């Protein structure tokens, strides 16, 4: 159930984030239409997914398979029960185990966290079995610490070619999380450079998923096309853990 207080709170926070993006776009001479906000709804309920849909959001992000699928199904039910067309683009943004990939390929529209060959193969098989084409971003590790997900920049060309070889996958671009404690401007400058190298051989891979609640301005400065924003819109997840 969505209370009017929750609706007002989320609407105000979303307007504030949209204002930050508008300003960042203006400062770097970019059109706002080049930037999509993916609202990361992890830990928040299906009613919040329906709520942000009502505020014009169509792109939502999740990071855990077991949570994402039932939540998105429930959100679609809530929207349909309201007479609203439940058009949602579901982005999977979290680290993904190979054994969950086939399942994720059934309901996600975009996977941002592809960082190894075995995961590419598993997603391709899953998408093929489901008769779908899955959009894929390769996650880059910008500090060489791959334990938090992401491939090393030198592995990306091989992975990009592998994705491109599968008809059930569509290579859309790159994704990164700024390393903890690093300067986001330096991180996203590096990401932009790596991305232009990949685009030289895969011109269609022109999405750049970068920037979260705290560093979205820096991401916009360096060409992000998709911002993954959670807490600045839905509030702190701390109380929900
Ligand atoms: C949770 C999460 C986000 C959103 O982070 P906020 O700081 O809440 O905006 C973005 N990207 C990924 C990969 C996440 O897991």
């Amino acid at each position: 159930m969505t209370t009017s207080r929750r609706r007002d709170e989320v609407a105000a926070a979303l307007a504030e984030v949209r204002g930050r993006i508008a300003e960042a776009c203006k400062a770097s001479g970019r059109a706002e239409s080049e930037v999509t906000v993916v609202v990361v709804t992890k830990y928040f309920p299906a009613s919040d997914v329906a709520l942000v849909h009502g505020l014009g959001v169509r792109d939502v992000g999740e990071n855990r398979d077991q949570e994402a699928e039932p939540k998105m199904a429930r959100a679609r039910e809530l929207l349909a029960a309201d007479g609203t067309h439940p058009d949602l683009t579901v982005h999977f943004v979290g680290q993904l185990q190979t054994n969950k990939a086939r399942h994720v390929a059934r309901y996600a529209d975009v996977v941002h966290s592809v960082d190894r060959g075995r995961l590419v193969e598993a997603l391709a098989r899953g998408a093929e079995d489901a008769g779908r084409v899955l959009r894929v971003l390769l996650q880059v590790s910008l500090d060489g610490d791959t334990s938090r997900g992401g491939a090393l920049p030198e592995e990306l060309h091989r992975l990009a070619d592998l994705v491109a070889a599968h008809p059930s996958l569509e290579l859309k671009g790159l994704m990164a999380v700024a390393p903890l404690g690093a300067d986001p401007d330096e991180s996203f400058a590096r990401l932009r450079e790596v991305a232009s190298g990949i685009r030289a051989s895969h011109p269609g891979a022109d999405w750049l998923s970068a920037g979260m609640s705290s560093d979205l301005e820096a991401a916009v400065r360096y060409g992000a096309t998709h911002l993954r924003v959670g807490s600045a819109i839905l509030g702190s997840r701390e109380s929900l853990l």
Side-chain angles (χ1 to χ4, degrees), residues 101-115:
R102 289 172 74 91
H103 189 240
V104 167
R106 304 190 70 84
Y107 64 86
D109 299 291
V110 189
V111 177
H112 289 229
S113 45
V114 177
D115 59 1

Side-chain angles (χ1 to χ4, degrees), residues 40 42 63 93-94 175 177 211-214 228-232 235 237:
V40 180
K42 65 185 183 199
N63 75 336
V93 303
M175 178 274 224
V177 179
M212 322 199 322
S213 293
S214 61
R228 307 176 311 271
V229 185
S231 52
R237 291 178 293 269

Side-chain angles (χ1 to χ4, degrees), residues 11-31:
L14 179 62
E16 191 174 321
V17 164
R18 286 187 172 140
R20 285 171 61 191
I21 295 167
E23 238 172 75
C25 282
K26 201 167 150 210
S28 46
R30 299 187 60 199

Side-chain angles (χ1 to χ4, degrees), residues 223-235:
T225 61
H226 291 71
L227 308 171
R228 307 176 311 271
V229 185
S231 52
I233 295 170
L234 293 171

